[in-house]
Amino acid sequence: MNNIYFNGRCKALETKLLSLVQLNEIVKCKEVAEVVNLLNSYNFLKGESVANFQDLLVLIEREEKEFLQFLKRTTPNPNFAKFFTLKYDYFNVESIYIATKLEKDSYPTLLEGQLKIDTIIDLIKSQKYNLLSPQMENCLKYCDELFKKEQFTGFSIDTAFKKALYEEMAESSKTKLLKKYTTFLIDMQNISLASRLRDKTLFQTVRLRGGSLKDEVLFSLCTDEPAEILMRTRNSDYTSAIKLIVSAWEKGETFFRFDYMFDCFPISFFDKYKYETVGYAPYLRYCFLKETELINLRIIIEGLISNRNRQRISNELRRVYE
């Protein structure tokens, strides 16, 4: 019964999400009043007054806070709330940790995930890392060692936190479907890292654990020629992604096509389950769709504030369900 209720509610909420057509209508706007009129017609503003584009960013943050509350209070599985809020906790822990080590008074934090900001500050200043998750505790102890050895760099700290985040995401993926998604996500991250670094030794220091790809495939991306890589991965689940990377190498382009595919990955993955009515698929799918809507709105409003080319803004929008 629990799943039936949550899935039914999420299916209803899904119908209220902004479509790609609606998002592109907002992109075309030249004045904030036009954006406000559209968002009112889409029932997004909820009666809030808006004077400028900055007010719209505040409203997007409000919507994000409401979504976080939805995750924490309306879930068929507590691990789902943890899974979706982990990135907030890790960003906050990392920024507060670095600021504390550098003896700064301000903390560039995101919204609160599972952990209260004040709690994070107290635990880091008192070094009570054991009251955090095992992954966070190990990460912070490792970073302390880097400080002691004077090996502390932005890259080394960011790498440590990223590896811990994905390790904890994998650990919190208790259901079969979410575990499958997380495994694919880690594999895609490792493909991206190996292809960009093209250095086996360096890749081994940043590689994320919990994926399914074998060493020979990932190391091939670090060292082999494009033709050999394509031959080795021709029957892989990641053939399309790797072809985009090889094409970028051959044309001397950036990885923008691969990056876009990666950005759209959550929706592409859960699109396969859009007609599922049982299990956790409808709930998880809605959560990823809502996350994507918030990302798209932020891309649009920040683009309008900086007067970016409208077509470029449209090109950056993540895929949405139609």
Side-chain angles (χ1 to χ4, degrees):
M1 284 298 297
N2 253 358
N3 281 8
I4 293 173
Y5 166 76
F6 286 114
N7 289 342
R9 183 171 180 190
C10 286
K11 281 293 184 184
L13 289 170
E14 190 177 302
T15 64
K16 300 178 181 179
L17 295 174
L18 298 177
S19 69
L20 191 58
V21 171
Q22 290 171 323
L23 290 168
N24 276 306
E25 285 299 312
I26 300 172
V27 173
K28 296 174 186 176
C29 293
K30 296 180 181 179
E31 303 291 339
V32 68
E34 296 177 67
V35 179
V36 170
N37 287 336
L38 280 176
L39 290 177
N40 272 324
S41 70
Y42 303 153
N43 296 314
F44 186 85
L45 290 185
K46 302 174 184 176
E48 296 281 352
S49 61
V50 174
N52 52 52
F53 284 117
Q54 291 297 334
D55 287 346
L56 288 171
L57 288 179
V58 172
L59 290 177
I60 293 171
E61 184 171 309
R62 178 210 67 190
E63 193 76 11
E64 192 171 8
K65 286 180 181 177
E66 289 182 5
F67 177 55
L68 286 172
Q69 290 306 310
F70 168 86
L71 288 167
K72 296 172 189 177
R73 298 174 182 174
T74 313
T75 176
N77 187 321
N79 285 304
F80 294 161
K82 179 180 179 182
F83 180 89
F84 283 100
T85 57
L86 270 174
K87 59 178 173 287
Y88 295 92
D89 287 332
Y90 269 86
F91 181 93
N92 293 337
V93 170
E94 181 178 0
S95 64
I96 292 169
Y97 177 80
I98 293 172
T100 301
K101 286 295 184 182
L102 298 179
E103 299 181 348
K104 294 184 176 180
D105 296 325
S106 60
Y107 310 104
T109 56
L110 288 178
L111 302 177
E112 287 184 341
Q114 300 281 325
L115 300 172
K116 299 290 185 184
I117 300 298
D118 289 343
T119 300
I120 296 173
I121 293 171
D122 290 341
L123 293 180
I124 288 177
K125 285 189 172 180
S126 62
Q127 294 190 322
K128 294 179 180 178
Y129 304 152
N130 61 304
L131 298 181
L132 297 166
S133 70
Q135 293 84 359
M136 280 187 184
E137 178 186 7
N138 292 336
C139 175
L140 290 167
K141 286 180 177 178
Y142 171 77
C143 291
D144 279 350
E145 287 300 311
L146 291 179
F147 261 102
K148 289 177 184 177
K149 297 175 182 177
E150 297 185 348
Q151 297 174 347
F152 179 87
T153 65
F155 177 77
S156 63
I157 297 300
D158 190 60
T159 296
F161 274 92
K162 187 174 183 179
K163 291 172 76 170
L165 167 61
Y166 277 90
E167 183 181 335
E168 192 162 354
M169 284 176 65
E171 190 273 335
S172 66
S173 303
K174 301 292 187 181
T175 64
K176 184 178 179 181
L177 180 58
L178 196 54
K179 189 171 186 61
K180 182 178 180 181
Y181 165 80
T182 307
T183 300
F184 272 89
L185 182 68
I186 292 171
D187 284 339
M188 289 283 281
Q189 283 280 13
N190 282 330
I191 287 170
S192 177
L193 289 167
S195 303
R196 293 176 199 275
L197 294 173
R198 292 288 281 171
D199 183 315
K200 180 179 174 181
T201 301
L202 185 56
F203 170 69
Q204 286 177 298
T205 67
V206 301
R207 178 182 180 179
L208 305 178
R209 301 298 170 185
S212 66
L213 289 173
K214 295 180 179 178
D215 288 351
E216 62 187 54
V217 174
L218 293 172
F219 293 161
S220 172
L221 290 167
C222 293
T223 59
D224 293 346
E225 293 299 316
E228 187 175 349
I229 292 171
L230 289 175
M231 179 63 68
R232 188 187 295 275
T233 59
R234 64 189 183 280
N235 296 318
S236 168
D237 290 333
Y238 304 95
T239 299
S240 297
I242 292 171
K243 281 183 177 179
L244 291 177
I245 289 170
V246 170
S247 175
W249 281 337
E250 292 175 339
K251 295 177 181 178
E253 297 177 341
T254 63
F255 285 8
F256 69 95
R257 289 189 177 86
F258 171 84
D259 290 339
Y260 182 76
M261 180 185 193
F262 196 5
D263 287 341
C264 297
F265 171 68
I267 306 306
S268 299
F269 180 88
F270 279 93
D271 259 3
K272 297 190 289 286
Y273 304 94
K274 63 184 175 184
Y275 298 117
E276 293 279 343
T277 57
V278 296
Y280 295 117
Y283 178 89
L284 291 171
R285 186 165 175 276
Y286 167 74
C287 291
F288 281 109
L289 285 167
K290 184 61 182 180
E291 271 194 339
T292 302
E293 178 185 71
L294 293 169
I295 291 169
N296 281 335
L297 282 171
R298 196 171 291 278
I299 289 171
I300 292 170
I301 301 306
E302 289 178 351
L304 293 178
I305 288 173
S306 58
N307 198 28
R308 294 191 64 214
N309 177 276
R310 298 302 197 268
Q311 187 58 53
R312 289 187 178 180
I313 296 174
S314 291
N315 291 343
E316 289 180 9
L317 297 181
R318 311 284 178 87
R319 183 180 172 196
V320 298
Y321 172 67
E322 296 293 341

